[in-house]
């Protein structure tokens, strides 16, 4: 695998192998300590980050690679310099670049440079590295995706899109509830329904959080206002006010349901304190698993290069 941009074109077997690799790295970190010796990884971020930055930066170091971080103001991708010029320049120094961008098109343009591996560390459209960490969390908790009723309550955003791809590929059951006008993008749903024909995944999209949460094994949510959407603050707060994971919605789910959130969370908006801190929550395990899954991604794109 040269790049890790989207889960869309990953086969079921490759995705399962990647989850298993992340699981193995978590159990035996020392066995992987020198696997990327001599390699260099750059992190080029247009937006803030806590988890993704730490996971890829530290992950690269723990695998024996060197790491460089470029903050949003340093490079000004596409402003100070053309995206292709940045990619071609960095390919002379680095083996891989982890990008966090406003527009997904920026990543698509960067990836045209053949000499550097590119990892999507979040774009407005997709957040695949988050979802690999989430799949590792489900694996670790003994939840077989094909036997899990997964419910996502909230914005049809980048995290939601990558979850849709993952569940379509793995053949799981995913139910999305978003306010009208904030559902997942049509083109992503079209892709996922096509993938689901083969995998037998079950995808439903509705506008009722309680309908989606009924008998769920997993309740997942994300912020109402993603990075870059701040100007829609007021309209979004109005539209999403019923789309919250709290004690009331947890009553509709199964008794042993787990609560997931990619973080950062806005307590009192998309998730209540009681749901985030309560016995169902696995959010900090998810956060920890970003590290092990980031290492699996770096190995997948760089080992043997
Ligand atoms: N979940 C996630 O990607 O967190 P950061 O934005 O802090 O990287
Ligand atoms: N949907 C959120 C995810 C943050 C990790 C955003 O894009 O801001």
């Amino acid at each position: 695998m040269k790049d890790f941009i989207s889960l869309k074109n990953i086969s079921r077997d490759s995705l399962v192998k990647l989850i298993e690799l992340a699981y193995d790295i978590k159990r035996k970190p020392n066995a992987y300590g020198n696997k990327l010796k001599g390699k260099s990884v750059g992190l080029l971020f247009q937006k803030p980050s806590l988890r993704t930055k730490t996971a890829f930066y530290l992950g690269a170091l723990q695998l024996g690679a060197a790491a460089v971080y470029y903050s949003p103001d340093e490079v000004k991708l596409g402003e100070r310099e053309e995206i292709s010029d940045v990619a071609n320049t960095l390919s002379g120094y680095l083996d891989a670049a982890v990008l966090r961008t406003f527009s997904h098109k920026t990543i698509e343009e960067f990836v045209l440079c053949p000499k550097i591996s590119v990892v999507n560390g979040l774009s407005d459209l997709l957040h695949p590295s988050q979802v690999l960490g989430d799949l590792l969390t489900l694996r670790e908790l003994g939840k077989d995706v094909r036997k899990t009723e997964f419910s996502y309550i909230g914005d049809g955003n980048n995290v939601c899109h990558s979850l849709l791809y993952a569940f379509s590929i793995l053949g799981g059951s995913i139910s999305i509830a978003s306010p009208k006008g904030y559902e997942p993008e049509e083109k992503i749903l079209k892709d996922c329904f096509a993938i689901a024909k083969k995998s037998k995944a079950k995808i439903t999209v509705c506008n009722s959080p309680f309908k989606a949460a009924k008998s769920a094994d997993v309740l997942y949510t994300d912020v109402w206002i993603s990075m870059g959407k701040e100007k829609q603050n007021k309209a979004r707060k109005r539209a999403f006010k019923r789309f919250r994971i709290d004690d009331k919605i947890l009553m509709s789910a199964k008794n042993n349901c787990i609560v997931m959130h990619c973080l950062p969370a806005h307590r009192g908006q998309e998730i209540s304190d009681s749901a985030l801190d309560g016995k169902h929550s696995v959010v900090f395990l998810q956060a920890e698993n970003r590290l092990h899954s980031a290492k699996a991604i770096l190995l997948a794109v760089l080992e043997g290069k």
Side-chain angles (χ1 to χ4, degrees):
M1 186 188 296
K2 174 187 167 280
D3 307 295
F4 183 83
I5 304 301
S6 167
L7 299 176
K8 178 177 169 177
N9 296 314
I10 297 184
S11 67
R12 180 171 202 282
D13 274 4
S14 303
L15 185 53
V16 170
K17 275 194 191 133
L18 206 50
I19 300 164
E20 289 308 313
L21 175 62
Y23 188 60
D24 201 55
I25 291 170
K26 180 164 187 175
R27 285 185 307 156
K28 296 181 288 188
N30 294 340
Y32 292 86
N34 272 319
K35 293 269 185 196
L36 293 185
K37 200 163 188 256
K39 304 277 189 236
S40 304
V41 178
L43 276 70
L44 213 69
F45 282 29
Q46 293 183 324
K47 296 171 176 172
S49 171
L50 176 66
R51 283 144 288 267
T52 310
K53 176 182 171 181
T54 312
F56 281 102
Y57 192 96
L58 198 59
L61 298 185
Q62 289 181 359
L63 292 169
V68 192
Y69 171 71
Y70 306 92
S71 67
D73 277 344
E74 265 174 286
V75 179
K76 294 201 178 291
L77 203 54
E79 279 176 56
R80 180 171 181 262
E81 203 165 350
E82 293 288 332
I83 296 163
S84 57
D85 290 342
V86 174
N88 284 316
T89 301
L90 287 180
S91 73
Y93 311 131
L94 304 171
D95 299 286
V98 182
L99 301 187
R100 169 163 286 203
T101 62
F102 284 99
S103 167
H104 189 69
K105 288 201 171 65
T106 305
I107 298 185
E108 286 178 338
E109 200 175 327
F110 201 100
V111 85
L112 294 177
C113 177
K115 288 182 279 172
I116 186 163
S117 288
V118 181
V119 174
N120 181 350
L122 182 146
S123 68
D124 59 348
L125 190 69
L126 300 169
H127 198 2
S129 69
Q130 172 65 48
V131 169
L132 187 67
D134 298 337
L135 294 172
L136 169 60
T137 305
L138 294 176
R139 160 75 174 89
E140 196 181 347
L141 295 172
K143 297 207 179 284
D144 178 346
V145 164
R146 284 189 286 195
K147 296 182 188 142
T148 301
E149 296 288 327
F150 189 95
S151 168
Y152 177 95
I153 313 285
D155 192 16
N157 62 13
N158 44 10
V159 172
C160 176
H161 290 158
S162 288
L163 285 167
L164 272 165
Y165 278 127
F167 275 74
S168 312
I169 293 163
L170 296 173
S173 165
I174 180 163
S175 192
I176 313 279
S178 309
K180 276 202 166 53
Y182 297 94
E183 294 94 345
E185 285 191 17
E186 274 304 324
K187 65 174 178 190
I188 305 275
L189 284 172
K190 208 172 144 215
D191 282 350
C192 291
F193 280 120
I195 299 168
K197 270 197 184 144
K198 203 173 141 204
S199 70
K200 307 269 180 282
K202 198 172 147 236
I203 303 167
T204 52
V205 180
C206 69
N207 305 113
S208 162
F210 282 90
K211 192 170 159 202
K214 194 163 184 295
S215 307
D217 297 293
V218 183
L219 287 181
Y220 196 118
T221 192
D222 184 16
V223 290
W224 295 342
I225 302 148
S226 284
M227 293 178 278
K229 304 252 191 279
E230 291 79 4
K231 283 194 182 134
Q232 303 171 20
N233 193 322
K234 267 197 186 151
R236 282 180 170 265
K237 278 189 179 155
R238 251 197 322 271
F240 281 88
K241 62 176 187 290
R242 288 186 308 115
F243 292 74
R244 167 180 296 127
I245 295 187
D246 56 15
D247 293 341
K248 205 165 147 211
I249 203 159
L250 264 162
M251 303 280 281
S252 304
K254 292 207 181 88
N255 281 342
N256 62 349
C257 169
I258 58 168
V259 167
M260 299 181 83
H261 191 310
C262 57
L263 301 178
H266 290 112
R267 291 168 176 265
Q269 289 189 20
E270 77 278 359
I271 192 160
S272 66
D273 282 331
S274 57
L276 189 66
D277 301 323
K279 64 175 184 192
H280 298 279
S281 173
V282 298
V283 300
F284 295 109
L285 180 61
Q286 275 177 273
E288 185 210 316
N289 282 339
R290 294 297 309 281
L291 172 66
H292 314 295
S293 51
K295 286 163 84 172
I297 293 166
L298 291 175
L299 278 175
V301 298
L302 286 180
E303 222 184 6
K305 201 179 165 198

